[in-house]
Amino acid sequence: MTEKGLSDTDRRSADVRYEWQSFLGLLPVLDLQPMDPVLYQRCLTAVWLSRKSAISRTDLQQAAGLHFQAETVDFDLLLAQLVREEILEPILSSPFHFQIRRRNWTNPESAYAADDRLSLSAISREEQTARFRMLGVLSARISDLRLSERRVQQIREQRGELERIYEATWLELENAIGSKAAEGIRKNVEETTEADAVQLELPLEKKRTFDLEGEARCNQ
């Protein structure tokens, strides 16, 4: 690289460091009123979707679809708001790089955006356990040969409607807390409910065998 090239690089680096120091110094006093709430929402969602522990200004601009903006002043206001809300934390030694701090929150664009992640997970687990258990009950009733065809069809319709609600709820939860977390909760709900059902069936099976044996002895 030529001496002029090195000089230009050093100058740009110095300019970025100066801009960074100015940004940090102005953070407590910046007027954030001109900030666009729609663009802020896009940045918030981009941070939530990031799988990294840190993010740069450039990466956040690209993730939020704002990299086409030539002016960085407005975008820095968005960054300042994220820092003030303790979603991002400046990495002092790396200009315009930020640690992503808040992880226990829901997708800002989901139906549960205002809900606490842990509370939402607990409520969803309870509701979905009840629905999954009821799906098992309805499936068992469909297999009951004593029921009329009309009644069986009614139960099938009830089960179909409940299945749609069950699946839609998992999709909403996945959108709110992420697919991996939602899949883990679903797996736990279904495995635990099925195991409980098996435990309940065993004593009933033993009782039925005992009753049959007693009936056979009485008939001898």
Side-chain angles (χ1 to χ4, degrees):
M1 184 179 291
T2 63
E3 183 176 342
K4 182 178 184 301
L6 286 171
S7 178
D8 290 342
T9 301
D10 291 342
R11 188 180 302 108
R12 284 195 298 270
S13 178
D15 289 343
V16 170
R17 286 196 300 272
Y18 177 78
E19 184 185 358
W20 178 235
Q21 292 301 322
S22 299
F23 174 81
L24 295 176
L26 291 172
L27 263 176
V29 297
L30 276 175
D31 180 12
L32 303 181
Q33 292 300 320
M35 182 187 66
D36 188 326
V38 175
L39 297 184
Y40 177 72
Q41 187 75 7
R42 288 170 64 175
C43 290
L44 195 61
T45 301
V47 172
W48 188 87
L49 292 172
S50 175
R51 297 180 178 274
K52 300 178 181 180
S53 60
I55 193 167
S56 69
R57 178 172 64 179
T58 301
D59 289 342
L60 182 54
Q61 277 183 309
Q62 292 178 341
L66 303 175
H67 53 285
F68 58 86
Q69 291 187 335
E71 194 64 46
T72 61
V73 175
D74 291 341
F75 189 78
D76 285 349
L77 293 179
L78 302 174
L79 285 175
Q81 182 66 20
L82 292 170
V83 172
R84 284 190 185 178
E85 292 188 358
E86 298 184 349
I87 293 170
L88 297 180
E89 180 179 1
I91 301 175
L92 300 181
S93 59
S94 300
F96 293 102
H97 282 71
F98 304 85
Q99 194 81 23
I100 299 176
R101 298 185 60 184
R102 186 180 298 177
R103 284 296 184 183
N104 190 29
W105 52 320
T106 54
N107 185 346
E109 294 187 349
S110 77
Y112 301 108
D115 294 341
D116 174 73
R117 181 188 180 99
L118 294 179
S119 299
L120 175 61
S121 298
I123 292 171
S124 298
R125 185 191 303 273
E126 182 178 347
E127 292 178 345
Q128 291 295 79
T129 296
R131 291 188 181 108
F132 188 69
R133 187 177 291 120
M134 181 55 66
L135 285 171
V137 171
L138 293 175
S139 296
R141 294 188 67 188
I142 288 173
S143 303
D144 189 343
L145 299 178
R146 296 171 296 179
L147 297 179
S148 66
E149 183 59 33
R150 180 181 178 184
R151 181 57 182 150
V152 169
Q153 183 59 33
Q154 290 176 339
I155 296 173
R156 282 201 181 100
E157 291 175 359
Q158 292 174 0
R159 186 184 65 176
E161 183 178 350
L162 185 58
E163 280 180 335
R164 286 190 289 273
I165 295 173
Y166 182 74
E167 294 298 334
T169 301
W170 285 128
L171 288 176
E172 289 177 356
L173 184 65
E174 179 179 323
N175 189 36
I177 68 174
S179 58
K180 187 174 181 180
E183 287 169 7
I185 294 174
R186 178 170 186 166
K187 182 178 180 181
N188 180 263
V189 164
E190 295 180 353
E191 289 181 351
T192 302
T193 305
E194 288 173 348
D196 290 345
V198 170
Q199 292 298 319
L200 288 173
E201 288 173 2
L202 288 177
L204 292 175
E205 184 64 28
K206 289 181 179 178
K207 182 178 183 300
R208 188 174 69 173
T209 302
F210 178 78
D211 290 343
L212 290 175
E213 290 175 350
E215 183 179 352
R217 285 195 296 271
C218 290
N219 291 335
Q220 287 179 351

